[in-house]
Amino acid sequence: MTPRPQVLVVDDEPNIVDMVTTVLDFHGFATSSAATAAEAVQAARLHRPDLVVLDVMLPDGDGFEVCRVLRRELPRLGIVFLTARDAHSERVAGLTFGGDDYVTKPFNIDELLARVRAVLRRTLPEGGDEPADPVLRFADVELDERAATVRRAGHPVALSRTEFDLLRYLMINRGHVLSRGQIIDAVWSADYTGSSNIVDTYVGYLRRKLGAHGPNLIQTQRGFGYVLREEGG
């Protein structure tokens, strides 16, 4: 039996801790919690979690420093920041300190769950709670992570590395609207300093290549970003 992935939830708001741990428990994770930076470091050393959901603003410090300490001691640890700070500079700071992803408050619990799963897929040898099958599927699209191939309706689709990474990120987060900033951080890197229009350009490339074998699956959510969703869905 595959052991349940261990997730440490760090936040000084009890209602957030209760909500997040309850949902994670329901979806098959083993959870523990902490309310301060000091408790977070102690709990991580005790439980050796696979991932930490980490609030940036803590009573005795900030999550960035906790991240720096834990990243040094547990290099394979997945870290997803929770932050009320929506400025791009703050998001970049979190990822620079060693975080894997971030969710801004107030957040959708389904989005947080998707991001936890996505980070564990990258950090755990067998993807944590995800199936060992390396093939991601959405509608009639199949993406094989090990073979680095994509097929739609049985037809091979030739993609560049960046196109492949973009499609993979959209498929992992299918049904969830992703901002250009989130996509850039995940597909390009937090160090990218060019125009966010690069996302629009590569979404266009993907739409044309996938569209050769079926209807559009990458929907534009005006004012927000992009979402992988079937039309009318």
Side-chain angles (χ1 to χ4, degrees):
M1 181 176 179
T2 304
R4 295 194 298 167
Q6 301 278 331
V7 178
L8 171 62
V9 180
V10 182
D11 199 296
D12 63 333
E13 297 182 52
N15 60 322
I16 290 181
V17 172
D18 289 344
M19 176 181 65
V20 173
T21 56
T22 297
V23 170
L24 291 175
D25 286 336
F26 177 79
H27 285 275
F29 298 90
T31 61
S32 54
S33 63
T36 68
E39 289 177 5
V41 173
Q42 183 178 23
R45 289 169 175 166
L46 175 64
H47 298 291
R48 311 290 290 186
D50 300 301
L51 182 141
V52 177
V53 175
L54 180 58
D55 189 21
V56 170
M57 301 292 290
L58 295 169
D60 57 338
D62 65 53
F64 296 152
E65 177 61 21
V66 174
C67 175
R68 187 186 65 79
V69 173
L70 296 185
R71 178 62 71 218
R72 184 176 63 244
E73 298 185 11
L74 302 168
R76 290 188 59 83
L77 178 69
I79 298 175
V80 176
F81 281 113
L82 289 179
T83 176
R85 304 169 176 175
D86 196 27
H88 180 70
S89 60
E90 295 290 350
R91 300 198 299 268
V92 170
L95 295 170
T96 300
F97 270 89
D100 296 288
D101 207 342
Y102 62 88
V103 176
T104 56
K105 296 180 179 181
F107 58 89
N108 180 296
I109 190 64
D110 289 332
E111 178 187 359
L112 176 60
L113 179 62
R115 294 187 182 283
V116 166
R117 285 174 165 163
V119 171
L120 285 173
R121 183 188 292 275
R122 298 195 299 269
T123 58
L124 286 183
E126 296 182 357
D129 68 322
E130 298 292 332
D133 186 355
V135 179
L136 300 178
R137 296 178 177 85
F138 178 78
D140 57 355
V141 177
E142 294 185 351
L143 182 150
D144 189 322
E145 296 185 272
R146 292 179 185 168
T149 59
V150 173
R151 302 180 72 85
R152 180 162 197 196
H155 300 281
V157 180
L159 299 180
S160 68
R161 175 58 186 268
T162 300
E163 292 165 350
F164 183 89
D165 289 346
L166 173 57
L167 178 60
R168 179 183 181 277
Y169 188 60
L170 290 169
M171 292 182 75
I172 288 173
N173 294 282
R174 53 193 175 272
H176 297 279
V177 177
L178 302 169
S179 71
R180 290 174 177 81
Q182 288 171 324
I183 293 172
I184 285 173
D185 290 344
V187 177
W188 279 266
S189 80
D191 298 323
Y192 176 79
T193 58
S195 170
S196 64
N197 290 339
I198 190 80
V199 175
D200 306 326
T201 300
Y202 274 86
V203 166
Y205 294 159
L206 266 184
R207 280 175 170 164
R208 283 195 293 274
K209 291 185 176 182
L210 295 175
H213 306 291
N216 178 46
L217 295 175
I218 307 174
Q219 313 300 332
T220 301
Q221 197 81 9
R222 296 197 179 279
F224 294 93
Y226 295 101
V227 56
L228 191 68
R229 184 171 56 210
E230 294 185 81
E231 290 181 337

